[in-house]
Amino acid sequence: MNNLLVFPLIIPLLTAVALIFFHNRVMLQRWINAAGALLNVFVAGLIVREVKTEGIQTLHMGGWTPPYGIVFTADMLAALLVLTTTVLSTACLFYAFGSIGKERERHYFHPFFQFLIVGVNGSFLTGDLFNLFVCFEVMLIASYALIVLGGTKRQLRETLKYILINIVSSSFFVAAIAYIYGVAGTLNMAHLSLRIAEAGQGGILNVIAVLFLIVFALKAGLFLFFWLPGSYSAPPTAVKALFGALLTKVGIYAIVRTFSLIFYHQPELTHSLIGWMAVLTMILGGIGSIAYSDINRIINYNVVIGIGFISIGIAAATKQSLDGVVFYLMHDMIAKALLFLLGGMLIKAAGTSDLRQMGGLIKRYPLLGWMFFAVTLALVGIPPLSGFTGKLLIIQGGFAAGQYVWTGVALASSLLVLYSLMRVFMGAFFGEEQLAAAKEPVQMKGMISAAAVLLVLIVVIGIGSEWVYSFVSQAGDVLADPGIYINAVLKE
Amino acid sequence: MELMMAIAVGILFMIGVYLILSRSLLRIILGTSLLTHAVHLLLLTMARLKKGAPPLLGEQASAYTDPIPAALILTSIVISFGVTSFFFVLAYKSYQKLQTDDMEQLRGDEGE
């Protein structure tokens, strides 16, 4: 029992409620929101430290022991992801101060931001399947509001599709919960894992596992990502960065959790399905990322490639590759948020999102240019930066598991990432200065410093890999051996 | 009894999917609400439809029906209610602004 675990949920919730009362006073809203976000970062750090020294922490809501009540569980994976979420969302918030515009802020941008964090943190921490569904919905409803806020034609159009896809996938989620409740008679994840281990995962349980995979793949953009490039192009940059960094990663987290804790008995069926979906995701995402000359699209397809890459680690399911999944997940969340923020500034500086109409921006925006270059290297996985260790672990794990095709495609996908982002870098920052870029330089001091924080994090994680790995390895232990998680939740 | 319910759920799913695949936005929203009806009935059915008193301790019965799916369904109903009302308002707003409810015309142009 550890009451600290509820704070990553309570703090944003109370902040959001407080913010609703002050929606007309923009400056006050900013102060309250920033204070809430920073407090949350602090609490998340405390949780990571506690999990590091004392192992998995649990909290029984209302004092009901599991499996009867809802249990919050922070193993190292959940704690690290909560910390990453709070840090990068705070950076996005500070970016939003400079870019989102007073009109949106008056119309409840700040409360919706905090509600999104409630949903994301809740999804990471919960140990109950139905509560996971509820946290997903909290996150999604906040995201519907954030994606449409502002009400331009394009936003309205894309929100219609985004909501439709998510209603359908949420319906399937409830259906999958109904099936698993009918078969196993429980909803607590640890208890489910025990029951399924007793019954043996065959027949109907495999079907349910695949149904869960479809649901989470729709949320995460694993192979079923057809909705993602359009939807993620519509909202303003700060919101895009939150979506690209958090929403799909929650889906990936749900896949990691369900297929390492609950459905791990038949990897030749479920995990190879994940592996092949990941391969197709990387190939299709790679094609998309080099096909367009629209910067939004290029970045969105890079999100898709990242999802595929992480899933290779899940599918290989060795201790090493699971370590890699945790490491790469943290890196990818931060780096994708940074990529979206820099992409947003780039579009603002050039006055267009079409790569063909850009050029020569390096003269006016050298800092922006070299930051974009750095994040490109980080995403490709060049050694001193954060992407390298995660990629190395996933690829080593993949080869150790004998999955040469999957791992080969994963390696090749790095080249496509490199090509697509370098094309943006070379096209936008070098060459002749274009007419659109020759206008007055855009002021973006505040935005650049928010992005710089994330860049520093990427460098620190990259250089301090050894230190970060001591945390990551603890998370990988739990993923590789579900017994640790079950013991922590049920035998207290 | 479960068999009958399963067939009913199947039919609801069928109509829901058919409506979602149509072109008019209102039909799509109706399709999603039929889909949520279907999953709520499924949740009820999958917990077995055994005979028992309603889950109220004042009933003093020897057997009660399972209270958990009822709680789950209640939660899911209010969520889908919220989402559906948002979806309706969004459809209204986009009809005002985009002047169409035809999904074919809401595709969006490439490179925009």
mmCIF file of all heavy atoms in Angstrom, chain B residues 2 8 10 19 25 30 35-37 39 44-45 49 56 58 61 79-80 83 86-87 89 91 94 98 101 103 109:
data_model
loop_
_atom_site.group_PDB
_atom_site.id
_atom_site.type_symbol
_atom_site.label_atom_id
_atom_site.label_comp_id
_atom_site.label_asym_id
_atom_site.label_seq_id
_atom_site.Cartn_x
_atom_site.Cartn_y
_atom_site.Cartn_z
ATOM 1 N N GLU B 2 -29.147 -17.534 -23.482
ATOM 2 C CA GLU B 2 -27.921 -16.901 -23.961
ATOM 3 C C GLU B 2 -27.832 -16.946 -25.476
ATOM 4 O O GLU B 2 -27.329 -16.006 -26.100
ATOM 5 C CB GLU B 2 -26.675 -17.573 -23.356
ATOM 6 C CG GLU B 2 -26.316 -17.105 -21.968
ATOM 7 C CD GLU B 2 -26.949 -17.976 -20.909
ATOM 8 O OE1 GLU B 2 -27.857 -18.757 -21.257
ATOM 9 O OE2 GLU B 2 -26.544 -17.879 -19.743
ATOM 10 N N ALA B 8 -29.317 -11.841 -30.994
ATOM 11 C CA ALA B 8 -29.718 -10.428 -30.986
ATOM 12 C C ALA B 8 -28.494 -9.518 -31.075
ATOM 13 O O ALA B 8 -28.476 -8.548 -31.846
ATOM 14 C CB ALA B 8 -30.506 -10.128 -29.716
ATOM 15 N N GLY B 10 -25.635 -10.275 -32.308
ATOM 16 C CA GLY B 10 -25.073 -10.409 -33.652
ATOM 17 C C GLY B 10 -25.808 -9.532 -34.646
ATOM 18 O O GLY B 10 -25.190 -8.858 -35.474
ATOM 19 N N LEU B 19 -24.505 0.363 -41.021
ATOM 20 C CA LEU B 19 -24.776 1.805 -40.983
ATOM 21 C C LEU B 19 -23.482 2.611 -40.970
ATOM 22 O O LEU B 19 -23.380 3.662 -41.597
ATOM 23 C CB LEU B 19 -25.623 2.149 -39.761
ATOM 24 C CG LEU B 19 -27.097 1.788 -39.852
ATOM 25 C CD1 LEU B 19 -27.793 2.087 -38.550
ATOM 26 C CD2 LEU B 19 -27.751 2.566 -40.972
ATOM 27 N N LEU B 25 -23.563 11.007 -42.573
ATOM 28 C CA LEU B 25 -22.978 11.100 -41.238
ATOM 29 C C LEU B 25 -23.961 10.681 -40.152
ATOM 30 O O LEU B 25 -23.589 10.003 -39.196
ATOM 31 C CB LEU B 25 -22.511 12.542 -41.022
ATOM 32 C CG LEU B 25 -21.653 12.819 -39.795
ATOM 33 C CD1 LEU B 25 -20.519 11.837 -39.704
ATOM 34 C CD2 LEU B 25 -21.111 14.223 -39.860
ATOM 35 N N LEU B 30 -25.840 6.843 -35.844
ATOM 36 C CA LEU B 30 -26.813 5.837 -35.409
ATOM 37 C C LEU B 30 -26.157 4.464 -35.353
ATOM 38 O O LEU B 30 -26.399 3.678 -34.435
ATOM 39 C CB LEU B 30 -28.011 5.809 -36.356
ATOM 40 C CG LEU B 30 -28.928 7.033 -36.261
ATOM 41 C CD1 LEU B 30 -30.068 6.911 -37.252
ATOM 42 C CD2 LEU B 30 -29.479 7.162 -34.853
ATOM 43 N N LEU B 35 -23.985 -0.080 -32.193
ATOM 44 C CA LEU B 35 -22.805 -0.883 -31.835
ATOM 45 C C LEU B 35 -22.615 -0.891 -30.319
ATOM 46 O O LEU B 35 -22.338 -1.941 -29.718
ATOM 47 C CB LEU B 35 -21.582 -0.281 -32.517
ATOM 48 C CG LEU B 35 -20.459 -1.227 -32.904
ATOM 49 C CD1 LEU B 35 -20.964 -2.288 -33.829
ATOM 50 C CD2 LEU B 35 -19.344 -0.442 -33.554
ATOM 51 N N THR B 36 -22.789 0.283 -29.690
ATOM 52 C CA THR B 36 -22.617 0.300 -28.228
ATOM 53 C C THR B 36 -23.747 -0.475 -27.548
ATOM 54 O O THR B 36 -23.505 -1.176 -26.565
ATOM 55 C CB THR B 36 -22.547 1.736 -27.687
ATOM 56 O OG1 THR B 36 -23.551 2.509 -28.314
ATOM 57 C CG2 THR B 36 -21.214 2.354 -27.958
ATOM 58 N N HIS B 37 -24.989 -0.381 -28.079
ATOM 59 C CA HIS B 37 -26.050 -1.239 -27.543
ATOM 60 C C HIS B 37 -25.631 -2.699 -27.586
ATOM 61 O O HIS B 37 -25.807 -3.441 -26.619
ATOM 62 C CB HIS B 37 -27.316 -1.103 -28.388
ATOM 63 C CG HIS B 37 -28.133 0.086 -28.062
ATOM 64 N ND1 HIS B 37 -28.383 0.484 -26.780
ATOM 65 C CD2 HIS B 37 -28.758 0.987 -28.841
ATOM 66 C CE1 HIS B 37 -29.124 1.572 -26.795
ATOM 67 N NE2 HIS B 37 -29.356 1.911 -28.034
ATOM 68 N N VAL B 39 -22.629 -4.075 -27.630
ATOM 69 C CA VAL B 39 -21.604 -4.513 -26.682
ATOM 70 C C VAL B 39 -22.134 -4.504 -25.252
ATOM 71 O O VAL B 39 -21.716 -5.325 -24.437
ATOM 72 C CB VAL B 39 -20.301 -3.703 -26.793
ATOM 73 C CG1 VAL B 39 -19.611 -3.987 -28.091
ATOM 74 C CG2 VAL B 39 -20.513 -2.239 -26.595
ATOM 75 N N LEU B 44 -23.735 -8.023 -20.667
ATOM 76 C CA LEU B 44 -24.760 -8.636 -19.819
ATOM 77 C C LEU B 44 -24.810 -10.141 -20.042
ATOM 78 O O LEU B 44 -24.877 -10.932 -19.109
ATOM 79 C CB LEU B 44 -26.106 -8.006 -20.148
ATOM 80 C CG LEU B 44 -27.248 -8.268 -19.195
ATOM 81 C CD1 LEU B 44 -26.995 -7.522 -17.914
ATOM 82 C CD2 LEU B 44 -28.556 -7.814 -19.820
ATOM 83 N N THR B 45 -24.773 -10.532 -21.314
ATOM 84 C CA THR B 45 -24.937 -11.943 -21.650
ATOM 85 C C THR B 45 -23.747 -12.773 -21.215
ATOM 86 O O THR B 45 -23.904 -13.893 -20.736
ATOM 87 C CB THR B 45 -25.117 -12.094 -23.174
ATOM 88 O OG1 THR B 45 -26.048 -11.141 -23.596
ATOM 89 C CG2 THR B 45 -25.584 -13.476 -23.531
ATOM 90 N N LEU B 49 -26.867 -15.553 -17.933
ATOM 91 C CA LEU B 49 -28.190 -15.034 -17.577
ATOM 92 C C LEU B 49 -28.888 -16.006 -16.641
ATOM 93 O O LEU B 49 -29.960 -16.524 -16.945
ATOM 94 C CB LEU B 49 -29.007 -14.807 -18.849
ATOM 95 C CG LEU B 49 -28.353 -13.846 -19.834
ATOM 96 C CD1 LEU B 49 -29.021 -13.918 -21.182
ATOM 97 C CD2 LEU B 49 -28.444 -12.438 -19.291
ATOM 98 N N LEU B 56 -29.866 -6.773 -4.620
ATOM 99 C CA LEU B 56 -30.199 -5.896 -3.500
ATOM 100 C C LEU B 56 -30.282 -6.774 -2.264
ATOM 101 O O LEU B 56 -31.035 -7.741 -2.242
ATOM 102 C CB LEU B 56 -31.559 -5.233 -3.729
ATOM 103 C CG LEU B 56 -31.676 -4.305 -4.940
ATOM 104 C CD1 LEU B 56 -33.123 -3.960 -5.207
ATOM 105 C CD2 LEU B 56 -30.867 -3.053 -4.702
ATOM 106 N N GLY B 58 -31.621 -6.366 0.503
ATOM 107 C CA GLY B 58 -32.934 -6.394 1.135
ATOM 108 C C GLY B 58 -33.838 -7.483 0.594
ATOM 109 O O GLY B 58 -34.836 -7.841 1.210
ATOM 110 N N ALA B 61 -32.711 -13.107 -0.809
ATOM 111 C CA ALA B 61 -32.833 -14.283 -1.666
ATOM 112 C C ALA B 61 -31.652 -15.220 -1.427
ATOM 113 O O ALA B 61 -30.647 -14.853 -0.821
ATOM 114 C CB ALA B 61 -32.885 -13.850 -3.117
ATOM 115 N N ILE B 79 -20.403 6.682 -20.515
ATOM 116 C CA ILE B 79 -19.294 7.094 -21.381
ATOM 117 C C ILE B 79 -19.771 7.223 -22.815
ATOM 118 O O ILE B 79 -19.547 8.232 -23.489
ATOM 119 C CB ILE B 79 -18.120 6.099 -21.280
ATOM 120 C CG1 ILE B 79 -17.453 6.203 -19.923
ATOM 121 C CG2 ILE B 79 -17.100 6.373 -22.375
ATOM 122 C CD1 ILE B 79 -16.381 5.186 -19.683
ATOM 123 N N SER B 80 -20.493 6.192 -23.290
ATOM 124 C CA SER B 80 -20.897 6.248 -24.696
ATOM 125 C C SER B 80 -21.952 7.329 -24.906
ATOM 126 O O SER B 80 -22.025 7.928 -25.978
ATOM 127 C CB SER B 80 -21.396 4.893 -25.177
ATOM 128 O OG SER B 80 -22.543 4.538 -24.484
ATOM 129 N N VAL B 83 -19.921 10.501 -25.294
ATOM 130 C CA VAL B 83 -19.238 10.538 -26.586
ATOM 131 C C VAL B 83 -20.230 10.755 -27.710
ATOM 132 O O VAL B 83 -19.990 11.540 -28.636
ATOM 133 C CB VAL B 83 -18.428 9.242 -26.805
ATOM 134 C CG1 VAL B 83 -17.855 9.216 -28.198
ATOM 135 C CG2 VAL B 83 -17.330 9.136 -25.783
ATOM 136 N N PHE B 86 -21.366 14.321 -27.899
ATOM 137 C CA PHE B 86 -20.299 15.127 -28.499
ATOM 138 C C PHE B 86 -20.261 14.927 -30.011
ATOM 139 O O PHE B 86 -20.125 15.881 -30.783
ATOM 140 C CB PHE B 86 -18.964 14.723 -27.876
ATOM 141 C CG PHE B 86 -17.805 15.575 -28.315
ATOM 142 C CD1 PHE B 86 -17.531 16.761 -27.662
ATOM 143 C CD2 PHE B 86 -17.003 15.197 -29.366
ATOM 144 C CE1 PHE B 86 -16.482 17.557 -28.046
ATOM 145 C CE2 PHE B 86 -15.949 15.987 -29.762
ATOM 146 C CZ PHE B 86 -15.687 17.174 -29.108
ATOM 147 N N PHE B 87 -20.430 13.679 -30.424
ATOM 148 C CA PHE B 87 -20.381 13.337 -31.847
ATOM 149 C C PHE B 87 -21.525 14.039 -32.596
ATOM 150 O O PHE B 87 -21.333 14.604 -33.682
ATOM 151 C CB PHE B 87 -20.484 11.823 -31.999
ATOM 152 C CG PHE B 87 -19.921 11.272 -33.279
ATOM 153 C CD1 PHE B 87 -19.890 9.907 -33.484
ATOM 154 C CD2 PHE B 87 -19.426 12.101 -34.266
ATOM 155 C CE1 PHE B 87 -19.380 9.376 -34.648
ATOM 156 C CE2 PHE B 87 -18.905 11.584 -35.440
ATOM 157 C CZ PHE B 87 -18.895 10.215 -35.627
ATOM 158 N N VAL B 89 -23.109 16.828 -31.720
ATOM 159 C CA VAL B 89 -22.871 18.267 -31.803
ATOM 160 C C VAL B 89 -21.797 18.556 -32.843
ATOM 161 O O VAL B 89 -21.894 19.517 -33.613
ATOM 162 C CB VAL B 89 -22.483 18.826 -30.426
ATOM 163 C CG1 VAL B 89 -22.100 20.288 -30.544
ATOM 164 C CG2 VAL B 89 -23.624 18.669 -29.462
ATOM 165 N N ALA B 91 -21.184 16.754 -35.456
ATOM 166 C CA ALA B 91 -21.784 16.573 -36.778
ATOM 167 C C ALA B 91 -22.594 17.809 -37.168
ATOM 168 O O ALA B 91 -22.526 18.276 -38.308
ATOM 169 C CB ALA B 91 -22.673 15.337 -36.775
ATOM 170 N N SER B 94 -20.174 20.593 -38.011
ATOM 171 C CA SER B 94 -19.501 20.456 -39.299
ATOM 172 C C SER B 94 -20.493 20.569 -40.453
ATOM 173 O O SER B 94 -20.116 20.994 -41.544
ATOM 174 C CB SER B 94 -18.690 19.164 -39.394
ATOM 175 O OG SER B 94 -19.244 18.159 -38.663
ATOM 176 N N LEU B 98 -19.179 23.006 -43.037
ATOM 177 C CA LEU B 98 -18.704 22.362 -44.266
ATOM 178 C C LEU B 98 -19.820 22.167 -45.283
ATOM 179 O O LEU B 98 -19.575 21.770 -46.416
ATOM 180 C CB LEU B 98 -18.067 21.012 -43.937
ATOM 181 C CG LEU B 98 -16.893 21.062 -42.977
ATOM 182 C CD1 LEU B 98 -16.606 19.676 -42.425
ATOM 183 C CD2 LEU B 98 -15.664 21.586 -43.671
ATOM 184 N N ASP B 101 -23.077 16.499 -45.325
ATOM 185 C CA ASP B 101 -22.952 15.399 -44.376
ATOM 186 C C ASP B 101 -22.520 14.128 -45.109
ATOM 187 O O ASP B 101 -22.650 13.037 -44.603
ATOM 188 C CB ASP B 101 -24.263 15.168 -43.619
ATOM 189 C CG ASP B 101 -25.309 14.516 -44.487
ATOM 190 O OD1 ASP B 101 -25.262 14.728 -45.716
ATOM 191 O OD2 ASP B 101 -26.163 13.796 -43.944
ATOM 192 N N MET B 103 -19.849 11.678 -46.359
ATOM 193 C CA MET B 103 -18.474 11.374 -45.981
ATOM 194 C C MET B 103 -17.534 11.357 -47.190
ATOM 195 O O MET B 103 -16.348 11.570 -47.057
ATOM 196 C CB MET B 103 -18.400 10.026 -45.252
ATOM 197 C CG MET B 103 -18.903 10.070 -43.830
ATOM 198 S SD MET B 103 -18.226 11.396 -42.813
ATOM 199 C CE MET B 103 -16.834 10.604 -42.049
ATOM 200 N N ASP B 109 -8.249 17.034 -49.142
ATOM 201 C CA ASP B 109 -7.336 16.936 -50.285
ATOM 202 C C ASP B 109 -5.937 16.589 -49.814
ATOM 203 O O ASP B 109 -5.533 16.914 -48.725
ATOM 204 C CB ASP B 109 -7.302 18.268 -51.033
ATOM 205 C CG ASP B 109 -8.691 18.701 -51.412
ATOM 206 O OD1 ASP B 109 -9.441 17.854 -51.923
ATOM 207 O OD2 ASP B 109 -9.030 19.863 -51.146
#
